[in-house]
Amino acid sequence: EGPPPAPAASPAAPGGEKGRSFEMITVQRAVLELSNYTRLCEAMIHDGGIDLALATLQLCEAGDQRVPLAVELLWNLLALCADAAAPIIGQRKHLDTLHAALLCALSLGHKLNERELRNDILVVLSLLARDEATLPHFPTELVDLLLVLGCGAEAGKGHQGVNPTHHATTSAEDLQMKLLSWDTLAALCRDDDTAAHVFDWGLFDVLLAYVNVDCEIPAVVSWSTLQVLDIQAHVLRLLGNLMDRGCEWFAACHGPATLRMYIDDCPKLALRNQAVGVLAAAAATRVRGELIGVGTIPLAIQLLDANDDLDLRIDALNLLSDSVRRDPDLQRQFLDHGGVTAVLPLLTLIP
């Protein structure tokens, strides 16, 4: 009958440069899998894993399969070992590398995997922006690029490396890009110089456009209803977080009046409550006087009757207390609208 057939040979990796690339990708995938564990991340950082990942970004061309693997590795290292990884990745030279990698990803962008790579780089930048020591190292050019990605379509401002047909659509990936850019910018605004630059550029104008009931900017109104609701929740959270540093810009962009109208026309109670919280945050700043002419005091008094929402009533009380503090005009409004009569029953409220 003859000898049995020989077993099939396992497929070999391609030879030459292509083979080395194949082997490196295989190794990178294994390393990436291991980076899901904190102790192994610590070992990788100690043994120079960050330098290797950044070198991959520098040496590989656009479209190379090794680039997204390197970016995802940096993401894992920052997510699990931020204290050890951020001081290394957050150095200016490495931020320049990430900036170049982002521009490279933006030069492509028409394929799903390219948009995902773009967003993964933004995740890495957003994680770095949380590190206090990294803030001064972020180059202005990178901040400007983030502003264009997050706000350019609404503000009518572009960047030579950003193709609007690839990066300013209403796709889920481009929505994620916008929100990641906003989050990164908000974190960077903990630095005074960066905050002034970002606010002067027009961040508040764009954020408030999404809660302006009369807004007709095409880039704002083109989103679906569900997308708009998600964006509005994100915007209100950012406005509250940025209020301490950006209250003057908020007031200059007619923020109190915009939010007051939004509260009257808000499609969801949760968003209305968020908007009230933003006004309460504004009342605690030096622009509380801007609340006089927009009916904030009667609104807060009215909301004290929201028996089904304790958090909302707390926000309303904070709004009232911070508004009338050391402001005679707001104190007069409070009295004229029966504020004392509205507040007194709360003193007997049984917890």
Side-chain angles (χ1 to χ4, degrees):
E1 297 180 2
S10 58
E17 181 62 31
K18 190 173 182 180
R20 286 191 292 274
S21 175
F22 177 85
E23 291 172 357
M24 183 176 288
I25 291 171
T26 303
V27 171
Q28 277 188 286
R29 285 176 176 156
V31 171
L32 182 59
E33 191 65 31
L34 295 173
S35 70
N36 290 304
Y37 303 92
T38 302
R39 291 184 62 183
L40 295 178
C41 281
E42 293 170 349
M44 290 179 196
I45 294 170
H46 181 268
D47 293 335
I50 289 176
D51 291 331
L52 289 174
L54 290 165
T56 300
L57 298 185
Q58 289 178 315
L59 298 174
C60 292
E61 298 178 354
D64 193 303
Q65 295 181 58
R66 290 169 286 187
V67 171
L69 295 173
V71 171
E72 196 169 347
L73 176 60
L74 293 174
W75 179 352
N76 285 356
L77 295 177
L78 283 167
L80 295 180
C81 299
D83 290 343
I88 302 173
I89 307 173
Q91 296 175 37
R92 175 59 187 265
K93 62 180 180 179
H94 297 327
L95 288 171
D96 287 339
T97 297
L98 289 168
H99 185 191
L102 180 57
L103 284 171
C104 186
L106 290 168
S107 69
L108 305 171
H110 62 284
K111 295 180 181 178
L112 177 61
N113 62 337
E114 292 163 353
R115 296 186 185 199
E116 290 174 343
L117 171 60
R118 172 201 66 192
N119 289 356
D120 286 353
I121 297 172
L122 289 173
V123 170
V124 171
L125 292 173
S126 71
L127 292 171
L128 287 171
R130 299 177 188 177
D131 180 60
E132 203 72 34
T134 301
L135 294 181
H137 300 153
F138 262 81
T140 302
E141 297 81 7
L142 179 53
V143 175
D144 287 340
L145 178 57
L146 292 171
L147 282 164
V148 170
L149 293 178
C151 310
E154 297 85 353
K157 299 179 182 180
H159 186 285
Q160 61 181 5
V162 180
N163 185 338
T165 61
H166 295 167
H167 308 290
T169 73
T170 56
S171 69
E173 294 76 30
D174 285 357
L175 174 57
Q176 185 184 32
M177 176 197 73
K178 181 176 294 293
L179 300 185
L180 284 169
S181 299
W182 286 352
D183 287 344
T184 307
L185 290 166
L188 291 174
C189 285
R190 301 196 318 280
D191 177 78
D192 290 337
D193 292 337
T194 302
H197 177 72
V198 168
F199 298 156
D200 285 340
W201 193 96
L203 177 63
F204 273 100
D205 291 283
V206 171
L207 294 179
L208 286 166
Y210 280 95
V211 289
N212 185 340
V213 296
D214 296 322
C215 180
E216 297 181 354
I217 299 173
V220 174
V221 300
S222 60
W223 300 97
S224 71
T225 300
L226 290 178
Q227 287 175 320
V228 167
L229 294 176
D230 287 341
I231 293 172
Q232 288 178 346
H234 212 87
V235 162
L236 292 169
R237 179 177 61 80
L238 290 176
L239 288 174
N241 291 342
L242 293 170
M243 192 60 67
D244 281 345
R245 291 186 181 275
C247 58
E248 286 94 349
W249 285 270
F250 173 75
C253 296
H254 310 291
T258 299
L259 282 183
R260 182 64 185 85
M261 293 176 63
Y262 175 76
I263 289 169
D264 287 339
D265 199 47
C266 187
K268 290 182 66 176
L269 287 179
L271 293 176
R272 179 203 65 178
N273 297 357
Q274 268 190 278
V276 172
V278 175
L279 286 179
T285 70
R286 50 192 172 275
V287 299
R288 66 173 64 88
E290 300 291 331
L291 305 178
I292 294 175
V294 298
T296 302
I297 296 297
L299 168 69
I301 293 173
Q302 175 188 342
L303 293 175
L304 291 178
D305 291 330
N307 296 320
D308 58 338
D309 196 326
L310 180 60
D311 289 337
L312 178 60
R313 297 171 84 181
I314 291 172
D315 278 336
L317 284 170
N318 287 333
L319 178 54
L320 287 171
S321 63
D322 287 324
S323 296
V324 302
R325 184 173 51 188
R326 297 188 300 275
D327 193 311
D329 292 329
L330 287 170
Q331 291 169 4
R332 193 173 301 109
Q333 270 199 5
F334 176 74
L335 293 173
D336 291 345
H337 287 88
V340 174
T341 303
V343 170
L344 281 177
L346 298 179
L347 298 177
T348 60
L349 183 67
I350 299 175

